[in-house]
Amino acid sequence: MKKNEESNLNKFINEIEDSYTKKYTKTEFTIYIVLRILVIAVMIRQIFTANWNNVFLCVLTLFLFLLPTIIQRSLNVTLPNTLEIIILLFIFSAEILGEINNFYGLFKHWDTILHTINGFLCAAIGFSLIDLLNRTERFHITLSPLFVALVAFCFSMTIGVLWEFFEFGVDKILRMDMQKDEIVSSISSVSLDPDNHNKPIVINNIRSTAIYSVDNQGNTLVTTIPNGYLDLGLNDTMIDLLVNFIGASVFSILGLLYIKDRDEYKFVEHFLPILRKKKHTENDN
């Protein structure tokens, strides 16, 4: 009985070591530490300014930083250092730089860059899932490289669409603005056709838009939107999906080439989770 308890304890220790022990270069380890220090520093500053919403975002970011470790433990895989660093930088760029420091507003294409990277990473994850199954002896079918690349592409696009659903739901229910609105100078709509003949009416060179609303006391309020018309998230959603498409397409093509020649395109492995082999213990014999 005592021997079995020691064996189970050794097995548990081996699992912990496999999940957390990883060879990092000095640069990679520095990145991990610096990112966490920066998030904690930002959180302390937000506490002093009593901005509790941003404090929550900092706590959420620290939790999201644990996702690579959680994924590795729960799925018994090893994330390449390159992939793990990109994931951490992506989280930091979206939450700390994007939301708290308003990089979304300061840099016009910040959101576009992040959605492109997201499309690339999701395609890599989808590709690795199918490729691992394809190379497992338990399965008696071999999928063609083109089909594996297609599944990776579809997986990435599905994640992108689900995220846009999430943004839309948050904006509608919580009255947020995750689907960033945009000022446009021209519109085309059949709703403006006075004859109701389904003919699109085009309005160009819009200089300003006036919105009339009524407050709780019945007073009329006028909100003026300068330099055009306020597009309510449609352009943002479509651009996000378009760049997700680009990112997914790029990796799917790389994945296709990698399957056909794993030696020549070996660099693709820097973005692919690797299935970790289980250690044999005394109970396995």
Side-chain angles (χ1 to χ4, degrees):
M1 183 70 178
K2 185 176 181 181
K3 185 177 180 180
N4 290 335
E5 290 178 356
E6 291 179 354
S7 177
N8 291 333
L9 179 61
N10 290 333
K11 185 176 180 180
F12 176 75
I13 292 174
N14 288 334
E15 289 178 355
I16 297 296
E17 289 178 346
D18 286 345
S19 299
Y20 290 99
T21 302
K22 199 174 179 183
K23 293 182 179 179
Y24 296 115
T25 65
K26 185 177 181 180
T27 302
E28 291 163 347
F29 183 75
T30 301
I31 292 175
Y32 297 143
I33 299 300
V34 168
L35 287 179
R36 285 164 172 79
I37 292 175
L38 288 175
V39 174
I40 293 173
V42 171
M43 183 170 61
I44 293 174
R45 181 176 180 274
Q46 299 304 317
I47 291 175
F48 278 112
T49 58
N51 193 330
W52 305 114
N53 181 58
N54 286 348
V55 171
F56 169 76
L57 288 177
C58 290
V59 174
L60 176 63
T61 301
L62 291 174
F63 171 76
L64 292 176
F65 279 172
L66 298 175
L67 282 183
T69 301
I70 295 173
I71 292 173
Q72 291 180 96
R73 289 197 62 192
S74 59
L75 300 181
N76 194 39
V77 298
T78 298
L79 300 181
N81 292 339
T82 301
L83 176 60
E84 190 170 348
I85 289 175
I86 293 176
I87 292 174
L88 295 180
L89 289 175
F90 179 87
I91 295 171
F92 183 82
S93 299
E95 300 297 334
I96 304 302
L97 298 181
E99 294 291 346
I100 295 179
N101 291 282
N102 193 32
F103 273 39
Y104 291 124
L106 296 175
F107 300 97
K108 183 178 180 181
H109 301 295
W110 189 257
D111 187 53
T112 300
I113 293 172
L114 293 183
H115 276 279
T116 306
I117 296 174
N118 179 72
F120 185 91
L121 293 179
C122 288
I125 294 173
F127 176 89
S128 63
L129 291 175
I130 301 301
D131 189 47
L132 289 174
L133 292 176
N134 208 29
R135 298 165 64 184
T136 301
E137 296 179 356
R138 290 184 299 173
F139 292 87
H140 303 289
I141 59 174
T142 301
L143 304 178
S144 68
L146 181 60
F147 184 81
V148 176
L150 179 61
V151 171
F153 171 81
C154 293
F155 178 85
S156 177
M157 290 304 300
T158 300
I159 297 299
V161 170
L162 291 176
W163 178 255
E164 293 303 321
F165 286 168
F166 172 75
E167 288 188 347
F168 176 79
V170 170
D171 289 351
K172 287 294 183 182
I173 298 173
L174 301 180
R175 308 301 293 269
M176 303 290 286
D177 187 22
M178 295 189 70
Q179 295 175 298
K180 296 296 184 288
D181 301 332
E182 184 176 334
I183 303 296
V184 296
S185 59
S186 65
I187 60 174
S188 174
S189 174
V190 297
S191 298
L192 301 176
D193 181 11
D195 299 323
N196 198 25
H197 290 159
N198 201 36
K199 177 182 177 181
I201 303 299
V202 179
I203 301 178
N204 293 316
N205 303 315
I206 301 175
R207 300 299 177 87
S208 66
T209 305
I211 300 177
Y212 294 86
S213 59
V214 179
D215 61 16
N216 294 332
Q217 287 71 39
N219 301 316
T220 300
L221 305 176
V222 181
T223 303
T224 302
I225 302 172
N227 303 319
Y229 171 80
L230 186 64
D231 170 75
L232 300 179
L234 177 61
N235 285 351
D236 177 78
T237 298
M238 296 311 299
I239 291 175
D240 288 349
L241 292 177
L242 176 61
V243 296
N244 193 104
F245 171 88
I246 294 173
S249 298
V250 169
F251 188 87
S252 297
I253 294 172
L254 290 176
L256 177 63
L257 297 174
Y258 169 72
I259 294 180
K260 292 185 175 181
D261 193 339
R262 296 180 185 269
D263 292 328
E264 183 176 354
Y265 296 93
K266 194 175 181 63
F267 70 92
V268 176
E269 294 179 358
H270 292 298
F271 307 100
L272 299 178
I274 303 170
L275 185 64
R276 188 167 52 241
K277 295 182 178 180
K278 293 184 178 180
K279 287 188 177 182
H280 292 287
T281 62
E282 295 179 6
N283 289 343
D284 297 329
N285 295 330

